[in-house]
Amino acid sequence: MRFVSADTGGALLTEDYEPIGLIATAAVLVERPYRTATLSRVRYANPFDYDMSGRQAVRDEAFLAVELAREVKPDIVHLDSTIGGIEVRKLDDPTIDALTITDRGKEVWKDLAKDLQPLAKKFWEETGIEIVAIGKSSVPVRIAEIYAGLYTAKWAIERARKEGKVIVGLPRYMSVEIRSGKIYGESLDPREGGLFGEIKAETKGIGWELYPNPLVRRFMVLEVWKE
């Protein structure tokens, strides 16, 4: 099977490691053997003006995933929303009310469905491809999360060239290495079978350090500065 998936990750941090806002939404094409992406796309957000309720992330993921899926024609699209793998085109109010999620989660999804249900329905009618809200159990979603971390590192490099220094938080259980002309990242979870990713980037004149976030277990901090 060929998958398109999307996820949002990476946060701009203060000097005290408090998150300001999220940075990168990544959509990826994932093919066998399902360890990395064949193709990726990114959409950057403004972390200084970010809706942390989850609405912005899910909307950005859905629209970017559909954009990539129209190009590459996968078998299915996976979104990072853990509501049981339900087809997004079927998310009407009665279906949302029946979900085993919090009342707040239901309200968020009723709001999201106003945009995403018509998008998914139209896409399915045109292509026969389902968009499912499957969440973190999906390996392709996890690969998209790793790519969101890679693009966060790229964003940090570009911002450090202007600002001098940037501190960002990576998605859970992942590390990055800034190499000559590229950024490499991999899962730190040994149970995930060696998931990894790589993107091109201009890396000259940049210093960096990676270390654990002292406030939040499972997350790494990346500091980038202009040398």
Side-chain angles (χ1 to χ4, degrees):
M1 290 183 69
R2 300 169 72 247
F3 299 82
V4 161
S5 60
D7 195 17
T8 301
L12 178 63
L13 303 180
T14 68
E15 292 282 349
D16 296 325
Y17 307 111
E18 296 293 339
I20 295 170
L22 301 184
I23 293 170
T25 295
V28 295
L29 170 65
V30 177
E31 302 173 292
R32 188 174 177 180
Y34 312 121
R35 291 195 181 95
T36 191
T38 305
L39 194 66
S40 66
R41 296 284 184 272
V42 65
R43 179 172 296 163
Y44 290 114
N46 176 4
F48 296 100
D49 182 22
Y50 197 89
D51 176 7
M52 296 292 279
S53 71
R55 290 172 172 84
Q56 181 173 345
V58 176
R59 281 195 182 95
D60 288 349
E61 289 158 18
F63 281 93
L64 189 60
V66 167
E67 181 181 308
L68 179 59
R70 288 191 184 282
E71 178 183 338
V72 301
K73 303 296 190 296
D75 296 293
I76 195 166
V77 175
H78 281 185
L79 297 184
D80 178 29
S81 298
T82 308
I83 54 175
I86 293 173
E87 295 91 345
V88 175
R89 67 184 173 92
K90 298 178 181 178
L91 280 176
D92 54 19
D93 282 358
T95 301
I96 294 170
D97 284 331
L99 295 174
T100 55
I101 59 176
T102 64
D103 289 341
R104 179 181 175 278
K106 290 176 183 179
E107 290 305 312
V108 168
W109 264 105
K110 285 179 180 178
D111 182 35
L112 287 168
K114 295 173 185 176
D115 295 328
L116 302 192
Q117 187 192 24
L119 174 74
K121 186 176 180 181
K122 181 180 179 183
F123 183 64
W124 177 78
E125 289 171 347
E126 292 174 350
T127 66
I129 300 169
E130 291 282 12
I131 302 173
V132 298
I134 190 170
K136 299 297 186 188
S137 64
S138 163
V139 168
V141 165
R142 173 59 170 155
I143 293 170
E145 185 177 39
I146 288 171
Y147 271 79
L150 293 173
Y151 283 111
T152 292
K154 184 175 182 178
W155 181 93
I157 289 171
E158 293 170 357
R159 185 169 178 84
R161 293 189 194 283
K162 301 175 184 177
E163 302 294 328
K165 177 184 175 182
V166 177
I167 304 175
V168 295
L170 298 177
R172 64 196 172 95
Y173 285 129
M174 76 165 289
S175 67
V176 297
E177 293 179 20
I178 298 176
R179 301 174 177 176
S180 177
K182 60 187 177 183
I183 304 169
Y184 174 84
E186 63 184 11
S187 168
L188 292 174
D189 189 337
R191 301 167 296 181
E192 291 188 331
L195 304 182
F196 70 96
E198 188 174 273
I199 60 172
K200 294 179 180 179
E202 176 53 62
T203 60
K204 290 181 180 179
I206 289 294
W208 63 281
E209 183 179 10
L210 184 73
Y211 54 88
N213 188 319
L215 303 183
V216 191
R217 289 178 59 240
R218 304 178 297 163
F219 292 86
M220 303 295 284
V221 171
L222 175 67
E223 286 195 27
V224 182
W225 59 87
K226 183 179 179 180
E227 291 187 327

